[in-house]
Amino acid sequence: VSVSWQFDGSLAGSDGAADLVPGAAAPAAAPGVTFETATIGGASAQVAHFTRGTYLAFAHGLGANAGGAYLNQYTLIMDVRFLADRSGYTALLQTTIANDNDGDWFLNGDGGLGISGNYGGVLTGGVWHRIALVVDTALNAHVSYLDGARVMTNAGGPIDGRFSLDVQALLFADEDSENSEGFINSVQVRGYAMSDAEIAALGTATAAGIPDPDCNQNGIPDACELAAGDCNQNGVLDACELAGNDCNQNGVLDACE
């Protein structure tokens, strides 16, 4: 249901996720990643410091959804800090592994999150923030969040279109130097479109990083409950899909009856 990376001295994935692979795009000739200690929310954390032009390739391993050939419903969450003097556009996500076209989620020069000329919020340079992108191509949604709050909604369709994910994608990559130096403490990709309430519950950046999914808020990570509670095998606990999908109110998803 999710994959994550914590940057505790390496680019290794957590819970079986493949390692991140650094690469370089203009103006960089080679990638540059170092590991440092930073203070986030008053606590110490190991973080990765990446140079301008460095990108991180990730394999999500979450498969396809929404009836398409690609991952069409997903949430990308990152704890990041950019420099106080950052300027211009900064690519956050590139869905094309070849990095031969424009990125697909950006910061603009004013710190706004979005795409296609529509940006919202203000990500302050020199400050740690928790940012998130929720894509649901079936609902034509590309939604940006900053520290738990929705700040911009853009069109995100169609299914298997620009904003869907192939088996791999890139963080911080762009084909024409719209990139920046920065720091990252935690990344998570979930194989479903999170709600406003779920994003709000994640709050702001923390030294501990982004918590594992717990959609029913019972203190048990969803990954530990899926074997006995995911009758349609879509990676989301049945208990978290019942609203509007249990017409006879018997606690079983309609799709599983």
Side-chain angles (χ1 to χ4, degrees):
V1 68
S2 70
V3 288
S4 61
W5 296 267
Q6 302 303 330
F7 306 98
D8 292 328
S10 77
L11 299 178
S14 301
D15 301 321
D19 295 355
L20 297 170
V21 178
V33 179
T34 56
F35 298 94
E36 305 177 7
T37 300
T39 300
I40 307 175
S44 180
Q46 280 271 295
V47 305
H49 180 187
F50 55 91
T51 58
R52 184 181 176 196
T54 295
Y55 63 77
L56 302 173
F58 68 91
H60 57 77
L62 298 173
N65 59 17
Y70 301 105
L71 188 67
N72 287 280
Q73 295 163 322
Y74 63 89
T75 304
L76 169 65
I77 314 159
M78 299 193 287
D79 285 358
V80 294
R81 177 169 71 87
F82 291 99
L83 302 185
D85 61 355
R86 186 196 68 86
S87 61
Y89 285 89
T90 297
L92 301 170
L93 174 67
Q94 165 64 278
T95 65
T96 303
I97 192 67
N99 191 32
D100 57 4
N101 56 22
D102 204 26
D104 302 289
W105 188 35
F106 282 92
L107 281 173
N108 69 5
D110 296 323
L113 290 160
I115 193 68
S116 302
N118 298 311
Y119 292 83
V122 179
L123 185 149
T124 304
V127 176
W128 283 96
H129 292 279
R130 179 163 290 169
I131 60 176
L133 171 67
V134 173
V135 170
D136 190 335
T137 66
L139 296 179
N140 194 29
H142 177 290
V143 186
S144 299
Y145 296 82
L146 177 61
D147 294 330
R150 181 193 285 236
V151 294
M152 181 52 64
T153 301
N154 284 295
I159 290 175
D160 288 345
R162 171 183 178 181
F163 299 114
S164 61
L165 296 187
D166 202 343
V167 294
Q168 289 182 295
L170 309 174
L171 301 176
F172 312 121
D174 182 68
E175 97 289 15
D176 62 357
S177 302
E178 292 179 329
N179 44 37
S180 298
E181 177 184 357
F183 301 81
I184 186 163
N185 179 50
S186 183
V187 176
Q188 189 178 101
V189 183
R190 302 191 185 189
Y192 62 98
M194 293 176 68
S195 68
D196 286 355
E198 288 177 297
I199 296 288
L202 292 179
T204 59
T206 61
I210 302 154
D212 289 332
D214 180 18
C215 70
N216 56 359
Q217 302 288 300
N218 67 348
I220 302 172
D222 295 347
C224 299
E225 298 187 281
L226 286 175
D230 183 18
C231 69
N232 56 358
Q233 298 191 359
N234 69 344
V236 181
L237 284 180
D238 298 341
C240 300
E241 297 189 284
L242 288 175
N245 296 297
D246 181 19
C247 66
N248 58 357
Q249 303 286 299
N250 68 345
V252 179
L253 287 176
D254 298 338
C256 300
E257 295 188 284

